[in-house]
Amino acid sequence: MRVDVDRVLASEMGLTQQDVSGSVLVSLSSTSQVSPNFWVNPDNRVNYRVAVQTPEHRVNSVEALMNTPIISATAKPVPSQSSAGTAFTLPAQLLSNVADMSRANVPVVVNHYNIQPVFEVFATVQGRDLGGVSADIDRIVAEARKDLPRGSSIVVRGQVESMNSSFAGLAGGLVFAVLLVYLLMVVNFQSWLDPFIILTALPGALAESCGCCTSPRRRSACRP
């Protein structure tokens, strides 16, 4: 249900949008949502939350909800005579006098990331590696980005984001290490070409060594 408040009419009655929303929130969700109160037990010094709320069985229809009293936060008590004597009450207006109610379709759960509203889609991995699933998700996200409205974006977060950042840092570290070794070899050999030839030959030599040690046919030949 959506409540549309007529702010002009509410202001003429001395009410604000905050007064209307606060009164409805107190009636439906108790005073703990607006002004939380606590009572301290003098025996054990334990705090207990004290909340006031309209019983649920009394708000069982739209008409009952529209009869919710709206009280201004700056209203002053007005004395009134009754059989029990003089009583002080707060002037109130009914919700139906300042607002209209209509049905609307809204998300059940609303999430935010850096204040911006977001829709979260959760996915997990089962029977496959995280890298393969990440590649498939990236292809799906790339196709979905073409149909996004202006101002919207799709971001993949979670373990995939941590994995990609770790691999990027590892690749950068390896490149820096190779560059550092190359510069040290340049100083030792007093040449720019010889260290380059040695470094470019290392991957082939390493691959040949691994293949020789893992292949059954070459294992005997690799023995000293």
Side-chain angles (χ1 to χ4, degrees):
M1 305 301 293
R2 180 173 181 175
V3 179
D4 296 322
V5 180
D6 190 341
R7 298 189 179 186
V8 177
L9 183 59
S11 62
E12 294 178 356
M13 299 181 181
L15 301 173
T16 62
Q17 179 79 15
Q18 184 177 1
D19 297 332
V20 177
S21 60
S23 299
V24 174
L25 189 60
V26 166
S27 178
L28 299 179
S29 302
S30 77
T31 54
S32 61
Q33 303 293 330
V34 179
S35 56
N37 295 313
F38 297 90
W39 174 74
V40 181
N41 190 340
D43 297 331
N44 53 13
R45 300 298 179 181
V46 177
N47 296 334
Y48 294 93
R49 187 184 296 272
V50 180
V52 179
Q53 181 181 359
T54 304
E56 294 183 1
H57 67 272
R58 297 187 59 180
V59 191
N60 54 5
S61 63
V62 177
E63 290 75 13
L65 182 59
M66 294 300 291
N67 290 330
T68 301
I70 308 300
I71 301 175
S72 175
T74 59
K76 297 181 180 180
V78 178
S80 60
Q81 298 295 332
S82 62
S83 59
T86 304
F88 291 88
T89 59
L90 293 174
Q93 290 288 340
L94 298 180
L95 179 62
S96 57
N97 295 337
V98 295
D100 296 326
M101 185 172 294
S102 60
R103 296 182 181 273
N105 296 325
V106 296
V108 178
V109 180
V110 179
N111 298 319
H112 293 82
Y113 184 81
N114 291 338
I115 306 178
Q116 296 181 352
V118 296
F119 292 95
E120 295 182 347
V121 179
F122 295 94
T124 185
V125 179
Q126 182 177 1
R128 295 186 58 191
D129 62 289
L130 184 60
V133 175
S134 174
D136 295 340
I137 292 178
D138 290 340
R139 286 194 294 267
I140 297 174
V141 170
E143 295 178 359
R145 282 197 178 101
K146 301 176 183 178
D147 301 328
L148 285 178
R150 181 177 300 178
S152 301
S153 61
I154 301 179
V155 180
V156 180
R157 292 191 173 92
Q159 294 183 354
V160 173
E161 185 179 14
S162 302
M163 180 189 67
N164 294 333
S165 61
S166 300
F167 285 167
L170 180 61
L174 289 176
V175 172
F176 179 77
V178 171
L179 181 60
L180 181 61
V181 171
Y182 174 73
L183 294 178
L184 291 176
M185 294 178 66
V186 167
V187 174
N188 292 331
F189 286 91
Q190 297 295 319
S191 173
W192 293 95
L193 182 60
D194 293 343
F196 179 77
I197 296 175
I198 295 174
L199 290 179
T200 53
L202 285 178
L206 181 61
E208 180 66 21
S209 300
C210 294
C212 180
C213 295
T214 56
S215 177
R217 297 180 179 179
R218 299 183 179 181
R219 189 174 302 171
S220 59
C222 291
R223 295 176 182 176

